[in-house]
Amino acid sequence: KLQFLYFIVFLQMITVVGTSCVDYISTFGEYPQPDTKNIARSTAVSVGGNAANVARGLSIMGNAVNLVTPLYSDPHAEMVKSGLEEKGVNLQYSCQLHGNTAMSYIVLDASDATRTIFHTPATVSFTHCTLPPLTPVLVLDGRHAVVANAIARNFCTQAPSTVILLDCERHDREGVENLLCLATHVICTASFLKGKYPKEECGLSSFTSSVQDNVHVVILTQGSEGCVLCIRNGSTWSTEHFPAAPLKEGQRIEDTTGAGDAFLAGLAHALLRGHSITKAISVASKTALIACLAIGTANYP
């Protein structure tokens, strides 16, 4: 019975590797002009960071989540730790480091629901950790490449059937090319492709042609325009566009902060439960929308 229960728990376990930080979010009627004094409509503080957002979302959706992220020695670290543990995220395999936690200052423009992020990185690099146990799905946010690479390689060696999701935001992020050689599913943005192929209008076809055989799925996220799904079929790729989840009557976009992380959490959640990639995209689009209906990422999806 114990073995059976462990097997059931294993099927619902997921590992997330990447960054965590503290988000300071201030909302203004419109984006402040230079050399002006402005009064914020509201200010909030919450746990942020791509991997932390994904892990928290997955835990809220009922998954057992191991988050591998650096936890620092400053006062902000306790906020990160308690905020994640309150949502059920397991930090056993995260690493305690001396230094200051990363911080993001987010300015929301209420006139058009856009946001501008000013990020201060952590002061100490995250280069080692205890390898977490194997899980059916592994999510990498593209940061802390040394640790992410070591964990992904262990998963590939010990459990070749692992679904490895890689979030690609910037083409010049250190170590991303190595991680692309390990991922099975790549989720990227238009800015990632534009940075990688600056002379091309989109770059999606060039990207799918360049990735190695380990990559089976590429998803280009397009915000309110939805996403483009590319699936490998031998030496060719099939492409399909999916619209974003529609707003219901009375709903409005409040803040797009963390929408991409919510999309990734929904995608991982659905794939962990054996859904098709098209069903997973439907789930991901809905969780991304839910994330946009409130300010900040504290309570999504």
Side-chain angles (χ1 to χ4, degrees):
K1 289 183 178 180
L2 288 176
Q3 288 180 331
F4 177 75
L5 288 174
Y6 175 80
F7 178 70
I8 295 299
V9 172
F10 170 77
L11 290 179
Q12 294 182 325
M13 288 183 67
I14 192 163
T15 301
V16 182
V17 183
T19 190
S20 58
C21 70
V22 173
D23 284 347
Y24 289 86
I25 308 168
S26 293
T27 303
F28 295 86
E30 59 183 14
Y31 190 81
Q33 297 297 313
D35 295 324
T36 60
K37 182 179 290 187
N38 300 271
I39 298 177
R41 291 184 177 181
S42 65
T43 299
V45 183
S46 68
V47 178
N50 297 54
N53 289 339
V54 172
R56 186 172 47 192
L58 283 164
S59 184
I60 291 171
M61 286 187 279
N63 304 285
V65 185
N66 296 322
L67 174 61
V68 182
T69 190
L71 297 172
Y72 293 91
S73 55
D74 63 329
H76 285 121
E78 185 55 38
M79 181 191 302
V80 173
K81 185 172 182 292
S82 61
L84 291 168
E85 289 180 336
E86 284 174 3
K87 298 299 183 182
V89 177
N90 179 26
L91 298 174
Q92 177 183 353
Y93 302 98
S94 293
C95 184
Q96 185 74 47
L97 298 174
H98 291 288
N100 293 326
T101 302
M103 292 183 289
S104 287
Y105 301 88
I106 304 172
V107 177
L108 300 182
D109 183 343
S111 66
D112 59 5
T114 58
R115 85 276 196 258
T116 304
I117 301 175
F118 304 88
H119 184 69
T120 303
T123 56
V124 178
S125 298
F126 180 37
T127 59
H128 65 279
C129 73
T130 300
L131 291 177
L134 302 175
T135 54
V137 177
L138 171 65
V139 180
L140 311 174
D141 76 356
R143 293 165 173 82
H144 306 303
V146 173
V147 169
N149 194 286
I151 292 173
R153 286 193 177 279
N154 183 59
F155 272 66
C156 288
T157 301
Q158 301 296 328
S161 62
T162 301
V163 173
I164 301 180
L165 303 174
L166 174 62
D167 186 17
C168 291
E169 286 185 332
R170 286 174 42 190
H171 78 286
D172 58 350
R173 182 158 282 147
E174 183 180 0
V176 68
E177 293 299 328
N178 292 330
L179 295 177
L180 282 169
C181 296
L182 301 169
T184 59
H185 295 57
V186 175
I187 299 86
C188 65
T189 61
S191 59
F192 170 83
L193 294 177
K194 192 63 178 177
K196 198 170 179 65
Y197 305 101
K199 296 182 179 180
E200 299 185 24
E201 183 176 349
C202 176
L204 183 58
S205 60
S206 294
F207 181 62
T208 53
S209 299
S210 70
V211 293
Q212 297 185 22
D213 291 345
N214 53 282
V215 178
H216 309 309
V217 171
V218 173
I219 300 173
L220 168 62
T221 56
Q222 299 177 310
S224 61
E225 299 300 317
C227 68
V228 178
L229 168 66
C230 301
I231 301 177
R232 186 189 293 275
N233 298 306
S235 59
T236 63
W237 292 79
S238 61
T239 302
E240 184 177 359
H241 177 264
F242 291 81
L247 285 165
K248 296 180 180 178
E249 185 176 355
Q251 291 181 333
R252 62 178 296 237
I253 301 299
E254 296 288 347
D255 176 17
T256 58
T257 303
D261 303 330
F263 181 94
L264 188 54
L267 189 74
H269 169 80
L271 292 176
L272 183 64
R273 278 155 175 73
H275 292 301
S276 68
I277 187 63
T278 54
K279 172 63 175 177
I281 285 179
S282 175
V283 173
S285 297
K286 291 174 183 176
T287 56
L289 174 61
I290 293 171
C292 296
L293 300 179
I295 293 175
T297 61
N299 296 308
Y300 83 94

